[in-house]
Each structure stands twice: as C-alpha cells, then as structure tokens.
Amino acid sequence: MSAVWKLGAVIAAVLLVAGCADHTGKWVLDTIDPPDARGQYQFANITLNPDGTYWAEREVGGKMEKNTGTYTFEKGKLAFKNAAGKTITYDAEMMDMNNKMKVMAETHGKKVTAVMKRG
C-alpha cells in the first residue's frame, strides 16, 4: 500500500470521526429493518441543505406529507427541528463512501434501522 494512499485513508477517517462527512444533498429511503416499520418511519425522502435547513416528505395514507425546518448532524446524532419547534434526534452514520446514511431510532417500542441512499 503506498504512503499516499495510507495518508488519504487516515485523512478520510479523521474527517468522518470529526463529523465532516458530506451529508448534504437529497436522500431517499433504501432499506428499513424491520420491514414492517416502513410506514412508521418519519421521512421517506429528505434534502439536507448546506445552510442547515431540510425539506422532507413521506407518504401517509396515500397522501404525501411535507416537513421543513433545521437540522444538525454532529457526533453521530442527526437532529431535526421542524417549523413547529419539535425536535427529533436519531443516531446516524455515513456509509459506503458517503453514498449511504444509516439512521437508527426506537419507534413504537421497536428498534428501527433505516438506510438512506443519495437520490
């Protein structure tokens, strides 16, 4: 393994640990475990903007529900504060060279793991 490649890998690891991974952009729900949690998951599509705002939507009862507000992604925590002032926080981590994001929470008494992919 070349010294340049090793240095690049170390820099990438430091940036990920420091929370500097590129999480901005459009994300769509890829997989969810358990599968029956799909309708309970808060967001199906979400856009995380560089200015700390977000736009999200999900399908509920055949209708699209939209949500906007601000977010932070720091130290493995992804927190959303909607326009009404309600904050929801998830455990989250970037995966697959920042092309996927794993989001974990407990909802309705079940542990849920969702994987979002860039959309």
Side-chain angles (χ1 to χ4, degrees):
M1 186 181 316
S2 76
V4 173
W5 189 90
K6 284 180 187 177
L7 178 60
V10 168
I11 290 170
V14 168
L15 289 175
L16 284 171
V17 169
C20 297
D22 182 20
H23 57 269
T24 60
K26 183 175 180 181
W27 297 92
V28 295
L29 184 60
D30 186 26
T31 63
I32 194 160
D33 186 47
D36 65 337
R38 184 171 284 272
Q40 300 168 13
Y41 191 66
Q42 187 70 22
F43 303 123
N45 300 306
I46 187 163
T47 300
L48 302 176
N49 298 309
D51 67 356
T53 60
Y54 76 89
W55 181 88
E57 65 182 3
R58 69 178 180 160
E59 187 176 335
V60 178
K63 296 180 182 178
M64 291 308 287
E65 210 175 74
K66 296 179 182 174
N67 189 316
T68 61
T70 60
Y71 77 93
T72 58
F73 191 4
E74 298 173 342
K75 299 180 182 176
K77 300 288 183 187
L78 179 58
F80 296 98
K81 184 174 183 180
N82 67 20
K86 182 179 177 183
T87 300
I88 299 173
T89 302
Y90 301 97
D91 292 324
E93 63 185 59
M94 300 302 294
M95 309 169 32
D96 193 23
M97 298 184 66
N98 295 336
N99 289 312
K100 291 189 176 185
M101 181 187 323
K102 183 191 295 186
V103 182
M104 298 147 291
E106 190 167 319
T107 182
H108 303 286
K110 293 181 184 178
K111 289 187 178 183
V112 177
T113 301
V115 175
M116 309 291 288
K117 65 181 180 181
R118 291 198 182 268

